[in-house]
Amino acid sequence: MRSPEAPDEDGEQPADVAAMLDLIRSEQERMSRRLAAGVPAILLAWGIAWFVGFMLLWLIDGARPAIAVPVAVAAVAFALLMAGALVVSAVMGARMSRGIRPAPGAAWTGTVYGLTWPLGFLSLTALGQALIVNGMPPELASIYYPTASTIFVGIMYVLAGGIWRNWPTIAMGGWFIGVAAVAPFFGYPTHYLVFALAAGGVFLLGALVAWLWLRGSRRRPDDAEDVDE
């Protein structure tokens, strides 16, 4: 019988192989933490944008006569919140990918996926304008735009989860699609409240879960160094 420390047929010690596997696993976890380092901030930014933005839209008519936010104020604030979330996403995404050279296939996938976002939203906006030109009343337009956008966001999240094999992202995408399917039945302006609570809320919940995961992974004893780059 060969002793536990005896080399195998390739001349490698079992302890060396185990150490190598531990090193590989540690590096994989370290890279996962680095790639996910900005996810809580991104989800938090979108959670605030959706929750506060849609809540302001709801307050245009949803809480009358106690509160009535002017349409211009709500619309401008909503646009600024969404723009701010986009900036946070871009900055944090750049920080997370800094110094990482993706494989050619992954770079192509990421580029096509990234360009699909603005093209999709532009197409939905054009469709909405075409429907208005053809007689869609403002009340229906106020339901169409957030609903169509949320469905698109959900589909893109599901695709992202499928491409990068991330079940939480798929679950979030499925949730957004479900919210978009239900919200229009509440009618104007209550559907805004549904989007604020159900869609904005899941962004905020996702931010909390991602932060807790990162915090827990950083406390593991095998983490020799933490990456906050």
Side-chain angles (χ1 to χ4, degrees), residues 47-125:
I48 293 173
W50 280 54
F51 182 81
V52 177
F54 279 113
M55 192 66 73
L56 287 173
L57 294 178
W58 174 70
L59 286 173
I60 293 173
D61 291 314
R64 288 181 182 272
I67 302 174
V69 175
V71 175
V73 172
V76 170
F78 183 83
L80 290 175
L81 285 165
M82 294 298 167
L86 279 172
V87 171
V88 172
S89 297
V91 171
M92 298 306 299
R95 288 186 62 186
M96 288 187 295
S97 61
R98 187 172 57 199
I100 299 176
R101 180 177 297 176
W108 168 259
T109 301
T111 300
V112 173
Y113 180 80
L115 291 175
T116 302
W117 280 96
L119 291 175
F121 279 119
L122 286 174
S123 298
L124 292 175
T125 302

Side-chain angles (χ1 to χ4, degrees), residues 11-189:
E12 294 184 347
Q13 295 284 355
D16 294 340
V17 175
M20 187 178 299
L21 290 175
D22 286 340
L23 178 61
I24 293 172
R25 190 179 303 111
S26 176
E27 285 301 308
Q28 288 175 336
E29 292 180 355
R30 180 174 177 270
M31 184 58 65
S32 296
R33 286 196 303 274
R34 174 172 181 174
L35 293 175
V39 171
I42 292 173
L43 293 177
L44 178 62
W46 283 110
I48 293 173
W50 280 54
F51 182 81
V52 177
F54 279 113
M55 192 66 73
L56 287 173
L57 294 178
W58 174 70
L59 286 173
I60 293 173
D61 291 314
R64 288 181 182 272
I67 302 174
V69 175
V71 175
V73 172
V76 170
F78 183 83
L80 290 175
L81 285 165
M82 294 298 167
L86 279 172
V87 171
V88 172
S89 297
V91 171
M92 298 306 299
R95 288 186 62 186
M96 288 187 295
S97 61
R98 187 172 57 199
I100 299 176
R101 180 177 297 176
W108 168 259
T109 301
T111 300
V112 173
Y113 180 80
L115 291 175
T116 302
W117 280 96
L119 291 175
F121 279 119
L122 286 174
S123 298
L124 292 175
T125 302
L127 175 59
Q129 291 301 308
L131 291 174
I132 291 173
V133 168
N134 283 277
M136 182 171 67
E139 292 79 9
L140 287 182
S142 70
I143 291 176
Y144 163 79
Y145 281 110
T147 302
S149 299
T150 304
I151 290 175
F152 178 68
V153 169
I155 291 172
M156 292 299 288
Y157 267 63
V158 171
L159 289 176
I163 292 170
W164 288 286
R165 301 182 181 183
N166 187 285
W167 279 107
T169 303
I170 294 175
M172 284 186 67
W175 177 261
F176 289 136
I177 294 172
V179 170
V182 171
F185 287 97
F186 288 86
Y188 174 87

